[in-house]
Amino acid sequence: MTRNPNMREAILSAAELLFSTRGFNAVSIRDIALEAGANPGSITYHFKSKDGLLLEIYKRHCGPMNKRRIELLVAARRVRDVQDRLEAIVRAYVQPAFSSSSDLAGGGARFTRLRAVMSAEGNAVVGRIIAEIFDDTTNAFIEAIEESLPHLPRTTIVWRSQFLLGALYYTLVSPERVTRLSRGEADGADMAEAIEQLVASTVASLQASDVDHLDTASRQAKPTQPPAKGLAGKRKENSTS
């Protein structure tokens, strides 16, 4: 490959592409250098290590995204109506992830795919980077949801927030599946529609009864069943009938 005069950007772009398709563990410094048209030494010069390179990729995309999320969250918490406020809080989290890669806020489908792959690998380095980049912002959203749904325990809100994250990943990575399964009646690439569908489904999920409450109610309502007869008992019953 010919050398790119903006070597630092070329390395970042090459690493993002390779990490999003192969994962972090399977990609070497040499692979990234080859893709970028760089010497391996250029990568260590700019980023010190592969870990440092991944951290920079997350920062360049997620810094603007997290900033925008917090701006929208501040506005959402001012909404008086509780239902409207909850919807605004969820939308404040979802919408910035759909921003185009041109402004680096969210990074588009490629960076979202990278995030999904990194999360699935279970790499300790990746786990530390994700915690460093996202935990403060995520906790701010969880606390805002707690204020709107004070009857739900924090653990339930955390679970349901985790499900939102999975849905967000999959929506951005595989939009064509929506188009296919809807037989063309829905356009999976329609970002505005995707945002509204994600917000509506997440709000409904957050407002659902707590699992512990449902479990207790189910046990109380379930009629007492007689113990099941074993095979020998059934034979004896049949012989006397």
Side-chain angles (χ1 to χ4, degrees):
M1 289 186 181
T2 58
R3 290 185 177 277
N4 189 317
N6 193 342
M7 189 55 65
R8 190 175 189 276
E9 288 300 314
I11 292 168
L12 282 168
S13 180
E16 186 176 326
L17 172 64
L18 294 177
F19 290 155
S20 68
T21 53
R22 301 186 199 172
F24 182 76
N25 297 329
V27 175
S28 68
I29 291 286
R30 188 174 295 277
D31 293 332
I32 298 167
L34 182 62
E35 181 68 28
N39 291 320
S42 298
I43 297 175
T44 54
Y45 171 78
H46 286 290
F47 305 102
K48 300 189 186 307
S49 66
K50 193 170 74 163
D51 298 357
L53 180 51
L54 182 63
L55 176 60
E56 184 60 28
I57 290 171
Y58 268 83
K59 282 182 175 179
R60 74 198 297 258
H61 287 298
C62 299
M65 181 171 66
N66 285 338
K67 182 176 182 291
R68 182 58 178 154
R69 279 177 168 168
I70 293 300
E71 289 171 353
L72 293 173
L73 179 61
V74 169
R77 294 177 88 161
R78 297 195 189 106
V79 176
R80 291 183 176 274
D81 181 81
V82 175
Q83 178 71 20
D84 291 344
R85 186 193 313 142
L86 183 60
E87 290 179 8
I89 290 168
V90 175
R91 186 173 283 103
Y93 185 85
V94 169
Q95 189 170 345
F98 283 83
S99 300
S100 68
S101 58
S102 60
D103 62 4
L104 297 182
R110 187 171 75 176
F111 179 63
T112 301
R113 186 179 295 110
L114 182 150
R115 290 174 62 194
V117 171
M118 295 298 102
S119 297
E121 277 193 338
N123 184 294
V125 172
V126 174
R128 287 196 299 272
I129 289 173
I130 291 173
E132 178 181 339
I133 296 295
F134 288 110
D135 278 8
D136 288 347
T137 302
T138 302
N139 276 316
F141 275 89
I142 290 171
E143 288 162 9
I145 294 169
E146 281 184 296
E147 292 172 4
S148 297
L149 299 170
H151 61 285
L152 283 182
R154 182 181 178 89
T155 52
T156 297
I157 294 172
V158 169
W159 272 114
R160 294 174 186 181
S161 300
Q162 185 82 342
F163 301 151
L164 166 60
L165 188 59
L168 184 58
Y169 283 161
Y170 206 77
T171 301
L172 282 163
V173 170
S174 302
E176 69 282 352
R177 193 167 189 268
V178 172
T179 307
R180 185 176 73 253
L181 293 179
S182 68
R183 298 173 180 172
E185 293 185 17
D187 179 6
D190 185 341
M191 292 188 177
E193 178 67 12
I195 290 169
E196 294 309 312
Q197 292 287 356
L198 265 173
V199 170
S201 62
T202 302
V203 168
S205 167
L206 287 167
Q207 292 177 323
S209 298
D210 186 40
V211 173
D212 288 341
H213 168 72
L214 289 175
D215 189 46
T216 301
S218 176
R219 287 197 300 268
Q220 290 173 345
K222 189 175 181 180
T224 304
Q225 298 290 336
K229 291 184 173 69
L231 184 59
K234 289 181 180 178
R235 285 175 177 166
K236 182 178 179 181
E237 184 180 88
N238 292 336
S239 68
T240 58
S241 60

